[in-house]
């Protein structure tokens, strides 16, 4: 497989669906099972960072072997996420783009630059502006 080619989430979805079908694993790939498997992989990913303290962007502290291992664990999480979205009938690309648009509206760059506050901590809400709905507060 050419690792330099560009692959979309849809490509990954189709490849993962075929991989699963070829092994007759559809029976095991329920949303719950896929979520739990993904959480196990998130745990393995977390172990890589455990006890290291802060890690710089680009992980220059990592050896080449550690960086390879990091890529493998990130890939496991991504592949389970793509498979979970497929099993749930969610268009992950559309959902991600929609979520980014919502986040841009909640966090306008000119008002939030350099701040880690949640959107409901800004002045509009403190002044009695529109309160976030329950679903917005959870997003």
């Amino acid at each position: 497989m050419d690792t330099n080619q560009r692959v979309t989430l849809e490509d990954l979805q189709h490849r993962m669906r075929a991989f699963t079908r070829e092994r007759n694993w559809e029976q095991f790939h329920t949303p719950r099972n896929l979520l739990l498997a993904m959480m196990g992989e998130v745990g393995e990913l977390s172990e890589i960072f455990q006890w290291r303290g802060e890690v710089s962007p680009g992980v220059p502290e990592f050896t080449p072997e550690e960086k390879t291992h990091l890529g493998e664990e990130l890939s496991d999480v991504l592949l389970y996420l793509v498979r979970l979205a497929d099993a749930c009938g969610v268009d992950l690309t559309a959902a991600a783009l929609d979520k980014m648009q919502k986040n841009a509206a909640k966090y306008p760059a000119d008002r939030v630059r350099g701040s880690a506050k949640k959107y409901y901590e800004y002045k509009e809400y403190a002044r009695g502006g529109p309160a976030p709905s329950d679903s917005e507060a959870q997003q």
Side-chain angles (χ1 to χ4, degrees):
M1 178 183 303
D2 179 11
T3 58
N4 292 323
Q5 67 180 340
R6 295 287 178 194
V7 177
T8 66
L9 287 178
E10 187 175 280
D11 294 334
L12 288 176
Q13 178 185 32
H14 291 302
R15 290 179 188 197
M16 287 300 297
R17 194 181 296 155
F19 181 90
T20 301
R21 194 173 297 126
E22 289 167 358
R23 288 154 181 80
N24 191 26
W25 286 351
E26 293 103 332
Q27 59 189 318
F28 309 118
H29 283 204
T30 63
R32 176 189 172 275
N33 287 348
L34 290 165
L35 174 64
L36 293 175
M38 184 178 71
M39 294 309 298
E41 296 300 338
V42 168
E44 291 181 26
L45 176 60
S46 298
E47 288 176 348
I48 295 172
F49 291 92
Q50 189 175 16
W51 314 122
R52 286 185 179 259
E54 282 301 317
V55 177
S56 303
V59 294
E61 308 89 340
F62 283 30
T63 65
E65 293 79 17
E66 289 171 324
K67 201 157 186 177
T68 297
H69 183 214
L70 174 61
E72 291 169 351
E73 297 305 334
L74 286 166
S75 296
D76 285 340
V77 172
L78 173 64
L79 294 173
Y80 272 118
L81 179 62
V82 168
R83 189 72 188 111
L84 175 60
D86 188 29
C88 292
V90 171
D91 179 341
L92 194 54
T93 301
L97 292 172
D98 182 58
K99 184 63 176 181
M100 289 175 68
Q101 186 175 20
K102 288 177 181 176
N103 285 343
K106 284 196 294 191
Y107 298 99
D110 61 330
R111 291 200 321 240
V112 303
R113 186 172 284 104
S115 174
K117 291 180 184 177
K118 289 294 286 181
Y119 67 94
Y120 52 79
E121 296 179 86
Y122 290 98
K123 292 178 197 170
E124 306 82 85
Y125 297 113
R127 288 192 317 248
S133 67
D134 288 339
S135 64
E136 287 178 325
Q138 293 174 359
Q139 292 181 5

